[in-house]
Amino acid sequence: MAIMFQERAIDRQFASFICQQSGEVTCDLFRLIVSLLSNAVGKGSICLNLAHYAGETVSVDGKEMVFPDVDTLRELLRGKSTMGLPGQHRPLILDTSDRLYLYRYWRYEQELAGRILQKASSDAGGIDEQVLHEGLARLFPECSEEKMDHQKVAASVALHKQFCVISGGPGTGKTSTVVRILALLLEQKGVSKQQIAMTTPTGKATARLKASVNDIRPILDCSEEIKLAIPDNVVTIQRLLGAVSGSSRFRYCALNPLPFDTVIVDEASMIALPLMCALVEALKPTARLILLGDKDQLASVEAGAVLGDICTAGEEGIQASSLSSSLVKLEKNHRFQAGTGIAEISRTVNTGLDREALALLKSGTLNGIAWQELPPREELRRLLTKKVVEGFQGYLSADSPSKALEYFDSFRILCALRDGPYGALGLNSSVESILRREGLISQESRGYRGRPILVTVNDYSMQLFNGDSGILFPDPDSGGALRAFFPDPEGGVRSIMPERLPLHETAFAMTVHKSQGSEFNHVLMLLPPVDSDILTRELIYTGITRAKESVEIWGSDGVFCRAVRKKTERQSGLKEALLTSI
């Protein structure tokens, strides 16, 4: 059976350019290989594995091409002037494992692997073990039901090493652990001698981390001086690095490193390879790097699955290796008790047990989870009405922007796709029609009271970033004129004139990818009626774990089961690069 390849315009243009540079405008096989590489990077992979295509038939635009064996492919590529070996500076790089890269992605991968391994093998030094022992005992009281307190282990690793990864699903205590790590660091060095930065990939995640720090700090068993010194300033990675407007470069880099002793990164699963490489390159040689994240969530929408590769390399490496000893996995869930609906369905999905997961959803025996057969297109709007009214009327009835923002996060519709009647755009149109018919929003086309908006680009001048969500609401300070209100980093709200907003879209419904870094009390997740490459186990798991109290899934048995069985496969050499030196 032929491999179907949907070539994009950018893939064709890039392949044609490389062929011209190589003087190989008539070599259809070479052109197709380069186009496949461009397409793979566009879909999140770092490289193209030639072995996956050797001996296969590839169909593109109705034309089929049979690929030769891998030895022949290797020799074909090595004869091109644009092709180089690792260490050479050519547009394309073919490594010794027959992985084909764009040069800059090969460099990102090698640079990141080298710097991570260097930090993983380096002790932080200067630790007063007596002070640390006393602090660990006080901040992490022994739990009688556990043989090992993994949060305490994570804190000890984070203090002793320059590199630490704390992984775990929602509710496993990653944030509460890192706040205690902050206290331990301050107790070690004194409040005036620690420069600490906290950062995340999105504005939404920064607000959540800041709120969590402020919630946890008052209950810590430490002095008031330490509590007051715990930082709560959280910024996006782009802002931390000093993004240069109109450029892909940053102000802070290897030649101008960040001035921090410790950098803590939340939601690390969302970080693409280029951005993670830029961050690690900008660290001081002696700085700690602490990554927090859920390796089982969807990876970045851009190229790479960095956190997953790091964790997999650590798990597969020799247990005594420096990388393995830098990884701590939190498994006890403090939000969802074992046996509850969301805990059980997320665990079952995450292990790929499709039929068991479907049976759980349909059983009706567990609180917080439900299943409904996906309605046909002509019935969708009618069956959505009750859910939409119940889910959104609370925030639409709010009497202030801050209350509206608070109530809006109580319910969200999530979907796998962006387009189509079951995608984000179609569902937002349906929700608006329902709310207008019910008299909950006005008949105006776009600018109406209560319209939820999702920013889709970074705008550094406005301090709004891709993924930030806000609401249009009357501003009492401006005579009731509509303003766009967003959560303020200090815990309040800030308003912006709608005319000054960067690119944005309506956000009653959003894709699961866009929902990363967010939490909602109740989630309604709609799957499309037919299978798609984007429907994977990680997408289902991520959608389910956005819910704090309940999740209901509308779908078909076959589409759901195939998605749970399908694990995301992103081609990368990062895991191997990390393992090579272990």
Side-chain angles (χ1 to χ4, degrees), residues 97 99 313 572-581:
S97 297
R99 287 186 291 252
S572 164
L574 179 59
K575 182 188 78 172
E576 286 74 12
L578 291 167
L579 285 170
T580 299
S581 300

Side-chain angles (χ1 to χ4, degrees), residues 5-20 25 27-28 30-40 60-63:
F5 172 45
Q6 294 184 336
E7 189 178 41
R8 305 172 302 168
I10 193 172
D11 303 328
R12 287 192 295 271
Q13 292 297 324
F14 178 73
S16 296
F17 171 76
I18 292 295
C19 286
Q20 289 173 359
V25 294
C27 184
D28 290 340
F30 180 56
R31 193 206 69 81
L32 181 54
I33 291 171
V34 177
S35 184
L36 284 166
L37 171 60
S38 171
N39 189 267
V60 53
D61 295 332
K63 298 178 182 179

Side-chain angles (χ1 to χ4, degrees), residues 503-544:
L503 289 175
H504 59 278
E505 57 192 32
T506 304
F508 291 108
M510 62 198 307
T511 63
V512 175
H513 276 93
K514 288 287 188 182
S515 74
Q516 287 180 270
S518 299
E519 289 181 344
F520 314 105
N521 294 341
H522 308 282
V523 165
L524 172 62
M525 181 161 59
L526 275 71
L527 305 180
V530 295
D531 201 7
S532 166
D533 289 343
I534 205 170
L535 285 170
T536 63
R537 180 185 310 171
E538 291 82 1
L539 182 136
I540 302 294
Y541 170 80
T542 302
I544 288 170

Side-chain angles (χ1 to χ4, degrees), residues 4 178 230 235 289-290 307 334 355 367 401-402 431 467 494 529 536:
M4 306 303 294
V178 86
I230 291 175
V235 297
L289 176 63
I290 302 172
L307 184 69
H334 301 274
R355 289 294 170 185
N367 291 331
S402 58
V431 171
R494 63 187 182 112
T536 63

Side-chain angles (χ1 to χ4, degrees), residues 343-547:
E344 289 303 306
I345 192 63
S346 59
R347 180 190 59 79
T348 309
V349 165
N350 204 21
T351 49
L353 301 174
D354 56 308
R355 289 294 170 185
E356 290 86 340
L358 186 63
L360 275 178
L361 286 166
K362 290 184 173 184
S363 69
T365 59
L366 294 174
N367 291 331
I369 60 173
W371 169 270
Q372 178 171 305
E373 191 69 25
L374 187 71
R377 181 174 180 176
E378 59 273 13
E379 290 292 309
L380 180 60
R381 190 169 295 183
R382 180 181 65 82
L383 292 175
L384 273 174
T385 298
K386 182 179 179 182
K387 293 287 182 185
V388 165
V389 172
E390 289 178 350
F392 294 125
Q393 66 180 352
Y395 99 88
L396 289 169
S397 303
D399 57 7
S400 70
S402 58
K403 287 294 184 185
L405 286 167
E406 178 186 347
Y407 295 159
F408 183 56
D409 277 349
S410 66
F411 174 70
R412 200 64 48 91
I413 299 173
L414 302 183
C415 38
L417 307 177
R418 175 175 170 79
D419 300 314
Y422 300 93
L425 296 181
L427 285 167
N428 275 310
S429 178
S430 295
V431 171
E432 286 183 318
S433 296
I434 291 168
L435 295 175
R436 286 194 176 101
R437 188 178 65 233
E438 298 294 323
L440 291 171
I441 63 174
S442 73
Q443 297 298 319
E444 298 174 45
S445 58
R446 290 182 64 80
Y448 55 84
R449 179 189 187 278
R451 182 193 174 207
I453 53 179
L454 181 72
V455 176
T456 57
V457 296
N458 293 329
D459 187 328
Y460 296 97
S461 64
M462 300 301 299
Q463 290 300 297
L464 289 173
F465 302 96
N466 186 8
D468 286 356
S469 58
I471 292 175
L472 293 185
F473 208 84
D475 185 3
D477 297 331
S478 303
L482 279 183
R483 295 286 186 266
F485 287 88
F486 292 86
D488 185 270
E490 301 304 318
V493 297
R494 63 187 182 112
S495 66
I496 296 172
M497 293 181 64
E499 297 81 7
R500 300 190 65 192
L501 287 171
L503 289 175
H504 59 278
E505 57 192 32
T506 304
F508 291 108
M510 62 198 307
T511 63
V512 175
H513 276 93
K514 288 287 188 182
S515 74
Q516 287 180 270
S518 299
E519 289 181 344
F520 314 105
N521 294 341
H522 308 282
V523 165
L524 172 62
M525 181 161 59
L526 275 71
L527 305 180
V530 295
D531 201 7
S532 166
D533 289 343
I534 205 170
L535 285 170
T536 63
R537 180 185 310 171
E538 291 82 1
L539 182 136
I540 302 294
Y541 170 80
T542 302
I544 288 170
T545 54
R546 297 312 88 205

